[in-house]
Amino acid sequence: MNCQKVRNWFSERYDFESLKWFFKKKYVPSHRYEIFYYFGGLTLFLFALQFLTGFALALYYVPHPEHANKSVMDIITKLNFGWLFRSLHHWGAQLLIGVLFFHCFTTLLLKSYRKPRELIWVSGVLLLGITIFFGLSGYLLIWDERAFAAVRVATGGAGSLPLFGEYLKVFLRGGADVTGETLTRFYAFHVCILPLITVFLVVFHIALVQFHGMSVPLSLEGKRVDKIPFFPNVFLKDLMIWLIFLGILVTLSVLFPPSLGKKADPYAPPPENIKPEWYFLFLFQTLKIFPGEVLGLNGETVAVTLVTLAILFFLLIPFFDRKSSMGEKSPVYTAIGTFYLVYFIVMTILGFVT
Amino acid sequence: MRLEQSIITRRTFLNTLFSGWFVAFCLGSLYPLLKFIYPSLGREPDFVVLNAKDFLNIPNNSTKPFPWGAKLGLIFKKSDGTLYALKGVCTHMDCNITYKPELKKFYCACHKGWFDEDGKNIEGPPPKPLEFFDITIEDEKLIVAKKGVKVELPKS
């Protein structure tokens, strides 16, 4: 872009030089684990795609129990490329959550959360939770039998929390049971509340990463680490990875478009062998291993409480892991991180197999 | 770096190649998006299928409305008992028209436009005559179709 006039117009009014400076002097450490730096940016890219395809779908979707399922059917069958946008949104969500989990576990095992980056970790875990809620709320919007049953189970699970579980369940459902009220509510969450919170948190998360710079793995702390300029070297690799994943996404979307079930009927039994989405399987499986009664307490309550505590601990790991924060090796937390990762993988696979 | 006979540098060539690819990629991505966001629902149908018994016995010199997509359609029986179907929308500004049996004319109240019973625009602002449709009757079905459209009913 060599429009000198336009450039002059702006440079007379705004200080572009310092912006240029920011990009010029932004360097990123380069070492063995460098590849893991790219998954944060990839998550951002997939989020941006979700926003774009979501905008497009929102032009036609009707958030009403009488029309929701049919409006999705119309999008798939009657509109130009509607099937593609619905498919991209569906597969984009799967990839986003997968990459997000990957990003989360790599930062956990590389101890990127240690001092001074605790708030990056906390905002990241909050984003992970919000993204999963994105998945659940979006899942209900197609208003077919499977989605209806899934949301009934998930919100019911939230109801097993001690003390405020019942309150939370009724808040999520917008009533005693899953009804049209729930659809209205989930629509509000999915297209209005969650996106706003997400944008805010993502900006916060990325601004902090700019402020602190990239974390270097503990094992390389204090050693000489090469630095490469962000622009253009790292940015170009970012773009390459984005392009590869865009290719994967479009391929999956075109070859495996998601199905759409019959319109939900609140009085019908749930469809046969119903399973939650894959990112809920580890929770689902956890609930299954608990017996109906543990030490005279309701088994489900115990399970949900334990899971909640485990998630809370996960959120607060940077504050418990003192050794990493002092820059020492912290084998205990490597073990804990590995346990979380292995548990997640094993339980997800078990959920698939059973 | 430039070859002896070349008019452009290698860098210019590669930059052009990359930008060209990038522009093509963006346009290719934009195409389905633009196709999708341009509304294609609520288009006028080519034909509609009605229940014959609801319309065949209307009195002479009267009309009965039916939905022509999102617009008004009229089944119209002339005083001699022949049956017609037309789009009940004024050709001037798309307002719905009414039939005045005492005058044997169609009237549009928006800007006082008049059409005679053959749909010819005879008074007021309408620039064109009304659009009449083809009618065919199959068993119980009354099929109203745009002129010149081949009707293919789905096999039930």
Side-chain angles (χ1 to χ4, degrees):
Chain A
M1 293 297 278
N2 274 340
C3 318
Q4 202 53 47
K5 269 197 172 154
V6 177
R7 286 199 358 211
N8 287 345
W9 194 95
F10 276 102
S11 59
E12 280 165 16
R13 287 159 183 78
Y14 302 99
D15 180 18
F16 273 131
E17 284 308 303
S18 55
L19 250 184
K20 263 195 199 156
W21 250 110
F22 173 79
F23 277 109
K24 275 219 169 84
K25 70 177 207 292
K26 183 169 161 52
Y27 277 82
V28 175
S30 164
H31 48 74
R32 272 191 304 171
Y33 305 107
E34 187 194 337
I35 178 74
F36 298 133
Y37 287 159
Y38 292 94
F39 285 86
L42 177 60
T43 313
L44 178 70
F45 171 69
L46 289 170
F47 247 125
L49 283 182
Q50 286 307 93
F51 270 70
L52 281 176
T53 49
F55 290 157
L57 292 169
L59 295 177
Y60 293 103
Y61 175 75
V62 184
H64 185 282
E66 284 308 315
H67 311 290
N69 188 262
K70 193 181 173 304
S71 76
V72 177
M73 193 47 109
D74 283 353
I75 287 173
I76 298 169
T77 53
K78 288 188 183 168
L79 292 166
N80 302 321
F81 292 106
W83 61 272
L84 178 66
F85 284 97
R86 193 226 159 180
S87 199
L88 283 172
H89 201 67
H90 169 92
W91 280 108
Q94 312 293 318
L95 280 180
L96 170 61
I97 292 174
V99 171
L100 204 49
F101 268 114
F102 187 85
H103 177 56
C104 171
F105 280 120
T106 54
T107 49
L108 174 69
L109 291 173
L110 291 172
K111 312 279 194 304
S112 311
Y113 54 76
R114 70 187 185 275
K115 187 183 166 192
R117 295 183 178 77
E118 293 95 334
L119 289 183
I120 301 182
W121 172 263
V122 171
S123 60
V125 174
L126 289 177
L127 277 169
L128 179 63
I130 284 173
T131 310
I132 288 176
F133 191 31
F134 251 124
L136 180 73
S137 57
Y139 197 60
L140 182 70
L141 297 188
I142 60 173
W143 203 246
D144 66 357
E145 287 173 329
R146 196 167 286 276
F148 189 85
V151 170
R152 216 176 223 171
V153 173
T155 48
S160 320
L161 271 172
L163 298 176
F164 51 87
E166 191 59 28
Y167 179 84
L168 183 68
K169 181 173 90 179
V170 173
F171 167 73
L172 286 175
R173 287 181 175 181
D177 201 352
V178 177
T179 55
E181 308 288 340
T182 321
L183 180 67
T184 307
R185 217 157 257 242
F186 274 34
Y187 180 73
F189 278 124
H190 193 82
V191 304
C192 169
I193 301 166
L194 295 179
L196 278 173
I197 299 174
T198 302
V199 167
F200 176 78
L201 276 177
V202 166
V203 169
F204 179 76
H205 192 80
I206 293 172
L208 280 188
V209 172
Q210 302 315 310
F211 178 74
H212 291 300
M214 284 298 192
S215 149
V216 177
L218 261 177
S219 55
L220 299 172
E221 185 125 311
K223 293 190 183 129
R224 266 209 64 230
V225 177
D226 283 341
K227 284 187 180 299
I228 43 173
F230 175 80
F231 211 80
N233 306 38
V234 174
F235 186 64
L236 192 63
K237 284 189 194 167
D238 258 328
L239 287 181
M240 274 153 55
I241 288 177
W242 293 1
L243 191 61
I244 290 167
F245 268 79
L246 183 63
I248 295 171
L249 171 59
V250 174
T251 307
L252 285 170
S253 302
V254 172
L255 295 182
F256 309 103
S259 62
L260 178 68
K262 279 214 302 281
K263 183 183 155 192
D265 171 6
Y267 306 107
E272 286 298 311
N273 58 46
I274 182 166
K275 257 190 197 169
E277 290 283 86
W278 66 268
Y279 44 90
F280 282 116
L281 282 176
F282 76 104
L283 292 170
F284 192 61
Q285 222 31 47
T286 308
L287 297 186
K288 271 209 251 178
I289 52 177
F290 275 82
E293 208 163 287
V294 186
L295 310 172
L297 293 164
N298 179 346
E300 184 148 348
T301 307
V302 174
V304 171
T305 312
L306 281 178
V307 167
T308 310
L309 288 176
I311 292 170
L312 261 181
F313 180 78
F314 196 70
L315 177 73
L316 299 174
I317 272 182
F319 305 100
F320 293 127
D321 185 3
R322 296 226 165 272
K323 271 199 157 156
S324 293
S325 290
M326 301 205 287
E328 296 166 24
K329 282 222 181 322
S330 176
V332 175
Y333 277 83
T334 308
I336 290 174
T338 314
F339 171 77
Y340 268 102
L341 173 62
V342 170
Y343 185 88
F344 174 73
I345 293 174
V346 168
M347 281 305 194
T348 305
I349 292 172
L350 273 180
F352 259 110
V353 174
T354 49
Chain B
M1 134 136 210
R2 190 192 291 212
L3 298 173
E4 293 250 332
Q5 315 300 337
S6 173
I7 40 175
I8 51 169
T9 59
R10 194 175 287 193
R11 165 147 303 223
T12 316
F13 173 76
L14 285 173
N15 275 349
T16 314
L17 196 66
F18 179 77
S19 333
W21 168 84
F22 188 70
V23 168
F25 169 83
C26 286
L27 290 177
S29 307
L30 215 57
Y31 174 75
L33 186 65
L34 293 176
K35 285 285 281 187
F36 176 69
I37 62 179
Y38 189 79
S40 50
L41 289 174
R43 277 183 304 209
E44 257 189 66
D46 286 340
F47 65 90
V48 296
V49 180
L50 305 168
N51 263 334
K53 61 178 192 316
D54 299 343
F55 292 93
L56 289 182
N57 303 324
I58 58 172
N60 290 0
N61 198 24
S62 78
T63 59
K64 188 170 181 182
F66 69 91
W68 175 256
K71 287 198 164 104
L72 169 72
L74 293 173
I75 298 288
F76 169 47
K77 208 177 224 174
K78 270 196 189 165
S79 16
D80 62 5
T82 44
L83 206 62
Y84 294 90
L86 65 143
K87 200 195 289 187
V89 169
C90 180
T91 51
H92 171 231
M93 288 292 226
D94 277 6
C95 293
N96 291 346
I97 53 171
T98 46
Y99 183 63
K100 305 274 186 196
E102 63 279 9
L103 301 168
K104 295 195 179 165
K105 285 179 189 164
F106 292 98
Y107 172 60
C108 172
C110 281
H111 307 92
K112 301 199 171 64
W114 291 89
F115 304 86
D116 67 9
E117 55 180 356
D118 300 320
K120 228 170 122 304
N121 44 327
I122 46 177
E123 206 179 307
K128 283 195 308 208
L130 295 170
E131 183 181 353
F132 275 71
F133 300 129
D134 287 333
I135 293 185
T136 38
I137 296 171
E138 280 185 28
D139 326 326
E140 298 287 289
K141 296 196 194 87
L142 175 71
I143 299 163
V144 179
K146 256 188 152 61
K147 291 231 181 270
V149 167
K150 221 171 125 228
V151 175
E152 286 182 9
L153 289 181
K155 304 265 185 295
S156 48

